[in-house]
Amino acid sequence: MQTGESAIPNPENSSILYQNERIDNMPKITSSRYTEAMTPWLDKLPEYLRQCEFDPSLSYYGTGESAHWPTQSNCNVFAALAVLSEAPELPEKQRLELRGTALSLLRYAMATHVTGRIPATDGKSWGHHWISVLGLERMSHGVNAIREHLTEEDCAALRNLMISESDWLLDEYPVEADMLGNSGRNKPESNIWNGGILLRTALDYPDAPRAAEYREKATKFLLNGLSHPLDAADETRYNGRPAREYHVGFNFTPNWSLDHHWYLNVGYMVICLSNLAMLHFYCRERGFEPPPELYRHADDLWRLVKACTFRDGRLLRIGGDTRARYTYCQNYAIPMWLFAADALGDRDAAEFEKGWLDIVRREAAANGDGGFYSRRLAQIAGVSYYYFTRLESDAVLCLSYGAYWRRKFALPDDSPEFPVNPPFAWQDEYHGATFLRDGNAARSFVWHAAQGPAGVCVPADRSDMAEWQNNLRGEIRSSCTPQSTHGRSSHTLFPGGFLNSGVSEWEERNPQGEGEGVYAYARHRTACAALPDGKTMLFLEYAVMTKEATIDEIKGMSLKMPNDLFNGGKRVYRAPGNVEIELPGNPGSTDSRTVSSDRLSIDGALNVYSLYGSDTLTIRRPASREIVIHRKNGPWMYSLYADEICNTYRSGCGRVRPGTVVLDGGYAVAAGGELETPVFRRLPQNGLLRMVEFRNESGRWLFAANFGEEAAAPQLPAGAALLAGSLKPGRAALWQL
């Protein structure tokens, strides 16, 4: 395989369409299916390979710098090629070529380490850093795959590298843990991978002078990975000592949510389990006895992550995502699923594998050039080659786990009776989170989410409809990089439903004027109710300006509806009166339109209603993808196109004065079936008390929210029975009639 200098192409701005297939009809998952998904990328790979200027016998992938992303990416691609070089499905000549490229990448990684002999492309060596061993952990199966082809010199260099990193972790890097994502000590995943490198060094090199010390600190790192508040009093013994003696803090809340990167981060729950998977299968392949701390709490975390997964494997990220959609954390679900199947005995995990592998294959086929993301993430490729090549490397690496471990081990390849939507009810105090999977819907609302509070209401079998960027909560967008704060909230989970209400503020995060400060300009109150009908959510919202600002857009409801290649690149919207609008994704120019109706059906699977505030709906259609990678500073990068359904929409508002009410409305979303005709109305109340009546075939409800500062007494019809809540300031309540 030859290195090249080709630039990443900039594909045309149109969606490649495909239709979803039933997972039931897919063949069983095998090593060969993973190999087939990986091999088209080999045509793209030469564009990302470069010859090392300090040693022409070596090659590197991507930018070749000493920073951790390029280092990891290089290790990722080494491991993937090493696995492919041993694939019996491939011709011998191709396997020899792949092996040569893999060895060249591995040798570049070792040569540019602080124990090596040459610098990386930025003139520096890598290593001795809190994340420096992550690439080594993730490539460990690749080393196993190609181990018999390593020279004595390779083995010596690898040993020196591993011992050097392990000594640094032993002497210089403390074990820390904390629940708060902004504390700097929330380190679940890094504790796991750092513990993993210490354990692997101790097992691989038992003659190392400090092997026993590596083993001891590995135990401490691992026990402070999936760490829980109750661990502080746990007497279970690990490596000769009770767990409480190793405990330095808890990274997870009592309900197993994770505040990593300062939001409810389902993706990094996956990353934690993926690193446990790497260590589990490494021990199994090498014949080492895995330590019990490797599995501690894994089943507790898996139960929640499994509930946050659609049947096709796509993650239901109820707390949102600050990264490119359906790339990094999503890919590392593959090793997690294999771990769940093998170590935790979950037969359903194979169903997730099948669905996700099909999604990966379809996106790659849509690109037409062998790349995994070359069409959908073309804008990212143009902004940051560094970032884009890293994302491509994660995809091929994660496929290699399936190819290798399914080749090596007899793992479940099918789910005999996969439940379509297993009932699940969960809440979390710290994140202000409520989550239900019941009936035909997945419904949630989370205040401490990635880009401000976010709701989700989608059919349980339509992962392509899920999005969470300021979803199901209006937006007041200023001209100066607006961002919603996480907010204060209260919530109640009751049989079949939940209430969730609170307040947050809109802030200008990156003002342009010299000396201009970051300030809040609007206070936004939101209340939602998941009805006990298994499908419907009701929302009330009220927002007022607190400081004068230039406002570009005001959007009520703001339901984000992905319209990209994952749904075939089109959505069909229907309204009463035989109104049907078919809209392609990513139109290339602004294409917004108003529907003269207070209700709308999306693909006959999700229904939207404007309860009050407007008797029309707007389908906002941006000119290009707007689902953003969240960054403190620009340039902005985007990863998904979405239409946006609003019950109130105003643009170009100009300067808006304090005290101006910018949002005052209600809306509903219901999963499943063609457009229904529920009866609803706003019931007049005093002051800032808002109440709606909503009736469908399942029942009749009253939903109220107190957006004022004092307790309120609603005017209720006879026979109203309180289901949950109270009307203290900022609270909501639900009654059934």
Side-chain angles (χ1 to χ4, degrees):
M1 185 170 296
Q2 302 297 314
T3 58
E5 297 297 331
S6 301
I8 296 178
N10 186 18
E12 70 260 27
N13 191 29
S14 64
S15 297
I16 294 293
L17 311 183
Y18 66 79
Q19 297 299 320
N20 294 326
E21 292 180 352
R22 288 181 58 81
I23 297 174
D24 308 37
N25 297 329
M26 298 179 197
K28 292 184 177 181
I29 197 76
T30 63
S31 173
S32 296
R33 289 194 64 210
Y34 278 104
T35 300
E36 291 167 3
M38 295 170 68
T39 49
W41 193 70
L42 298 177
D43 294 333
K44 191 73 173 173
L45 178 58
E47 297 182 15
Y48 308 139
L49 293 177
R50 302 289 185 269
Q51 190 176 61
C52 176
E53 62 178 301
F54 300 108
D55 183 345
S57 71
L58 304 180
S59 300
Y60 62 87
Y61 168 87
T63 62
E65 299 166 44
S66 63
H68 60 274
W69 276 9
T71 301
Q72 292 167 31
S73 298
N74 191 75
C75 292
N76 290 351
V77 176
F78 149 71
L81 299 185
V83 167
L84 284 175
S85 75
E86 301 301 310
E89 305 93 333
L90 301 183
E92 179 68 19
K93 181 179 179 181
Q94 185 180 22
R95 290 168 58 186
L96 288 172
E97 184 180 6
L98 290 168
R99 184 181 303 148
T101 304
L103 287 169
S104 180
L105 295 173
L106 175 62
R107 288 164 183 161
Y108 178 84
M110 296 190 296
T112 55
H113 186 255
V114 293
T115 59
R117 52 188 174 81
I118 59 173
T121 59
D122 57 357
K124 303 174 184 178
S125 298
W126 68 275
H128 296 180
H129 187 256
W130 71 273
I131 198 174
S132 58
V133 303
L134 178 54
L136 303 178
E137 280 294 283
R138 288 176 171 168
M139 77 173 191
S140 59
H141 68 301
V143 173
N144 286 343
I146 210 169
R147 190 177 293 274
E148 64 179 309
H149 301 290
L150 300 180
T151 66
E152 289 186 9
E153 184 179 356
D154 293 332
C155 292
L158 185 60
R159 176 188 171 103
N160 289 340
L161 185 158
M162 296 286 286
I163 288 178
S164 173
E165 288 291 334
S166 296
D167 285 345
W168 185 84
L169 287 171
L170 205 59
D171 297 331
E172 303 294 335
Y173 194 66
V175 180
E176 297 180 312
D178 191 278
M179 189 189 79
L180 302 179
N182 62 349
S183 69
R185 298 186 303 277
N186 182 250
K187 299 179 178 181
E189 87 288 23
S190 60
N191 283 349
I192 293 170
W193 71 57
N194 286 324
I197 200 80
L198 287 169
L199 180 62
R200 288 202 299 112
T201 304
L203 294 173
D204 283 339
Y205 309 111
D207 60 332
R210 308 182 72 182
E213 294 177 77
Y214 301 157
R215 179 68 179 83
E216 174 69 12
K217 193 162 186 179
T219 299
K220 189 172 185 178
F221 268 122
L222 291 172
L223 288 176
N224 286 283
L226 305 187
S227 54
H228 186 271
L230 295 180
D231 293 350
D234 193 345
E235 295 292 339
T236 308
R237 299 184 75 81
Y238 296 91
N239 202 22
R241 294 168 54 195
R244 59 177 173 78
E245 292 187 10
Y246 290 103
H247 185 72
V248 300
F250 53 94
N251 288 310
F252 288 79
T253 72
N255 291 332
W256 287 105
S257 70
L258 179 64
D259 194 48
H260 203 61
H261 292 174
W262 203 21
Y263 67 93
L264 200 170
N265 200 327
V266 172
Y268 272 80
M269 299 179 199
V270 172
I271 294 298
C272 291
L273 291 169
S274 78
N275 277 96
L276 293 178
M278 296 164 203
L279 195 53
H280 164 80
F281 284 106
Y282 190 86
C283 289
R284 185 172 176 189
E285 182 179 5
R286 299 277 283 154
F288 299 134
E289 181 69 27
E293 56 266 31
L294 192 161
Y295 307 102
R296 180 175 171 80
H297 295 317
D299 53 348
D300 296 316
L301 182 57
W302 167 244
R303 277 192 290 270
L304 177 56
V305 173
K306 181 179 180 180
C308 292
T309 309
F310 288 101
R311 184 178 180 180
D312 63 8
R314 190 179 279 121
L315 297 176
L316 172 57
R317 299 195 58 157
I318 59 174
D321 187 6
T322 55
R323 305 290 180 87
R325 293 298 188 263
Y326 306 120
T327 56
Y328 171 57
C329 295
Q330 176 68 67
N331 281 316
Y332 283 93
I334 293 175
M336 174 189 71
W337 293 327
L338 292 161
F339 174 73
D342 193 50
L344 306 181
D346 194 320
R347 293 293 301 273
D348 295 337
E351 197 78 5
F352 300 139
E353 279 187 85
K354 287 198 303 181
W356 178 244
L357 187 57
D358 187 63
I359 291 172
V360 170
R361 179 181 63 81
R362 288 168 179 273
E363 179 163 15
N367 294 326
D369 63 355
F372 291 108
Y373 307 120
S374 47
R375 294 185 74 91
R376 182 166 62 92
L377 303 189
Q379 188 262 350
I380 295 177
V383 171
S384 177
Y385 180 84
Y386 176 103
Y387 198 166
F388 182 81
T389 52
R390 176 261 167 93
L391 294 175
E392 290 274 305
S393 78
D394 286 327
V396 75
L397 169 74
C398 291
L399 292 171
S400 77
Y401 293 120
Y404 190 66
W405 292 339
R406 284 199 169 276
R407 185 191 310 159
K408 285 285 182 179
F409 310 115
L411 302 174
D413 57 9
D414 206 359
S415 178
E417 296 181 1
F418 190 90
V420 174
N421 187 26
F424 190 84
W426 179 85
Q427 61 183 337
D428 185 70
E429 188 66 30
Y430 178 73
H431 291 103
T434 43
F435 174 39
L436 284 177
R437 290 191 66 158
D438 61 348
N440 184 45
R443 299 178 289 173
S444 68
F445 200 88
V446 177
W447 283 89
H448 204 54
Q451 291 158 286
V456 173
C457 180
V458 293
D461 59 351
R462 292 300 298 269
S463 68
D464 62 286
M465 288 184 151
E467 178 47 46
W468 28 83
Q469 180 175 295
N470 291 313
N471 192 52
L472 286 176
R473 179 176 171 275
E475 298 184 39
I476 307 108
R477 302 194 65 83
S478 83
S479 60
C480 195
T481 319
Q483 176 177 308
S484 179
T485 61
H486 293 309
R488 305 183 305 277
S489 66
S490 63
H491 57 85
T492 303
L493 194 66
F494 60 89
F498 63 74
L499 291 176
N500 206 328
S501 61
V503 60
S504 64
E505 294 183 314
W506 287 88
E507 297 178 343
E508 293 189 333
R509 298 304 303 166
N510 293 302
Q512 300 300 308
E514 184 175 336
E516 186 178 11
V518 172
Y519 58 84
Y521 59 85
R523 183 170 294 114
H524 190 171
R525 301 183 186 276
T526 307
C528 72
L531 298 182
D533 65 351
K535 63 181 179 180
T536 305
M537 289 182 72
L538 306 181
F539 295 83
L540 307 176
E541 66 179 346
Y542 182 85
V544 62
M545 296 293 292
T546 55
K547 188 179 188 301
E548 183 176 337
T550 301
I551 301 300
D552 287 343
E553 291 181 301
I554 297 171
K555 301 182 287 188
M557 178 165 53
S558 191
L559 168 65
K560 308 297 192 304
M561 182 48 54
N563 194 358
D564 216 309
L565 62 89
F566 295 122
N567 61 284
K570 70 175 182 179
R571 292 290 182 194
V572 177
Y573 298 96
R574 295 185 178 90
N578 296 317
V579 175
E580 181 174 304
I581 307 170
E582 183 176 305
L583 297 177
N586 210 2
S589 60
T590 302
D591 182 31
S592 299
R593 56 193 70 194
T594 298
V595 180
S596 298
S597 174
D598 60 6
R599 59 199 66 195
L600 197 64
S601 168
I602 307 171
D603 287 350
L606 190 70
N607 302 322
V608 179
Y609 309 93
S610 178
L611 303 181
Y612 69 91
S614 174
D615 56 5
T616 63
L617 293 166
T618 297
I619 306 173
R620 180 181 176 272
R621 302 265 292 157
S624 59
R625 292 179 172 93
E626 284 193 341
I627 302 303
V628 70
I629 296 176
H630 184 69
R631 298 166 62 87
K632 291 182 179 179
N633 301 300
W636 296 101
M637 294 185 284
Y638 304 93
S639 64
L640 195 70
Y641 186 87
D643 297 335
E644 190 169 2
I645 316 304
C646 304
N647 72 334
T648 300
Y649 181 72
R650 300 191 295 276
S651 62
C653 304
R655 299 294 288 178
V656 182
R657 300 281 293 173
T660 303
V661 176
V662 288
L663 286 174
D664 189 358
Y667 44 95
V669 182
E674 293 295 330
L675 189 63
E676 297 178 295
T677 56
V679 176
F680 49 81
R681 59 182 177 132
R682 178 179 171 178
L683 301 179
Q685 303 290 323
N686 294 325
L688 293 181
L689 183 63
R690 299 290 184 267
M691 177 180 284
V692 294
E693 178 184 351
F694 187 89
R695 184 174 70 227
N696 62 14
E697 78 283 356
S698 300
R700 183 182 174 196
W701 293 273
L702 300 175
F703 178 45
N706 182 2
F707 294 138
E709 300 297 333
E710 298 179 356
Q715 301 174 23
L716 297 172
L722 182 66
L723 287 179
S726 67
L727 287 178
K728 297 177 182 178
R731 301 294 181 90
L734 182 69
W735 295 264
Q736 188 162 21
L737 296 174

